Amino acid sequence: MSQHTILISIGSNIEREHYTKQSLVALKKHFSDVSVSSVYESEAVGFNGSPFYNAAARATTSKSIEEVCAILKAIEKDNGRVHTDKKFCARTLDLDLLTYDSKVTTTPVVLPREEICYNAFVLWPLAELVPNDIHPETQETYAKMWQNFDKQKQQLWPIDFTWS
């Protein structure tokens, strides 16, 4: 069975320290070689709400894109995430598949995820975690993308966070 490299964004703004830690526990149960970025705090984007904790994780898996997405949704649900019709709202845990190898696709999900290019809370953790990895569409490294990102658009700051 072939192994695939996946990148996942992690976000929480309800009991955020607890759920951010729970995300790593759950990801390690389902995927191999899990590594994680620092945790960053950011203001809510798209709605008025409490600040978020954000991070990025890298892992390997033999599962398909569909299976990975189903696992991420199940982890969110197991951690009290209530999916509403509103795109922007408070949440216990938000896990998004950002990339699956260097695959570019629109089904079953859009990959690479578009937020990589326009959300500091996705791009900065990626630039830290996998600085020399190449974005499948821009063909730039995440470090270069972060270097060129307009950092005045969204405020984001690293925080002191202990995973264990």
Side-chain angles (χ1 to χ4, degrees):
M1 234 179 234
S2 60
Q3 289 293 308
H4 304 281
T5 301
I6 56 175
L7 296 174
I8 300 163
S9 68
I10 301 167
S12 174
N13 78 331
I14 297 174
E15 292 181 52
R16 57 195 187 164
E17 184 170 344
H18 171 76
Y19 288 110
T20 300
K21 287 179 180 179
Q22 287 304 110
S23 72
L24 186 59
V25 170
L27 291 172
K28 285 183 171 182
K29 282 183 188 167
H30 295 280
F31 306 112
S32 318
D33 306 317
V34 177
S35 56
V36 69
S37 70
S38 299
V39 174
Y40 297 82
E41 186 174 37
S42 67
E43 295 163 355
V45 173
F47 71 103
N48 288 325
S50 303
F52 275 80
Y53 278 179
N54 298 100
R58 179 190 180 280
T60 56
T61 185
S62 59
K63 295 175 177 13
S64 69
I65 294 172
E66 293 87 349
E67 290 170 313
V68 171
C69 290
I71 288 167
L72 297 180
K73 290 296 170 223
I75 292 170
E76 289 176 344
K77 188 174 182 224
D78 291 346
N79 282 279
R81 169 82 185 265
V82 177
H83 286 274
T84 66
D85 293 337
K86 290 189 345 190
K87 180 171 172 55
F88 300 109
C89 61
R91 56 203 59 173
T92 55
L93 191 57
D94 187 22
L95 299 174
D96 292 317
L97 180 62
L98 300 173
T99 66
Y100 184 93
D101 293 331
S102 56
K103 194 163 187 61
V104 176
T105 186
T106 56
T107 56
V109 293
V110 174
L111 294 176
R113 198 159 170 107
E114 296 167 343
E115 286 95 288
I116 295 170
C117 296
Y118 61 82
N119 282 330
F121 61 82
V122 177
L123 185 54
W124 193 4
L126 280 181
E128 177 208 317
L129 182 65
V130 290
N132 298 317
D133 282 14
I134 306 285
H135 185 281
E137 287 182 316
T138 68
Q139 295 302 305
E140 289 184 309
T141 65
Y142 294 113
K144 180 79 168 165
M145 289 174 68
W146 178 243
Q147 182 184 336
N148 296 333
F149 189 83
D150 178 3
K151 295 169 185 70
Q152 299 309 307
K153 268 197 325 195
Q154 298 169 355
Q155 295 304 301
L156 185 70
W157 46 96
I159 62 159
D160 191 18
F161 190 89
T162 305
W163 282 101
S164 57

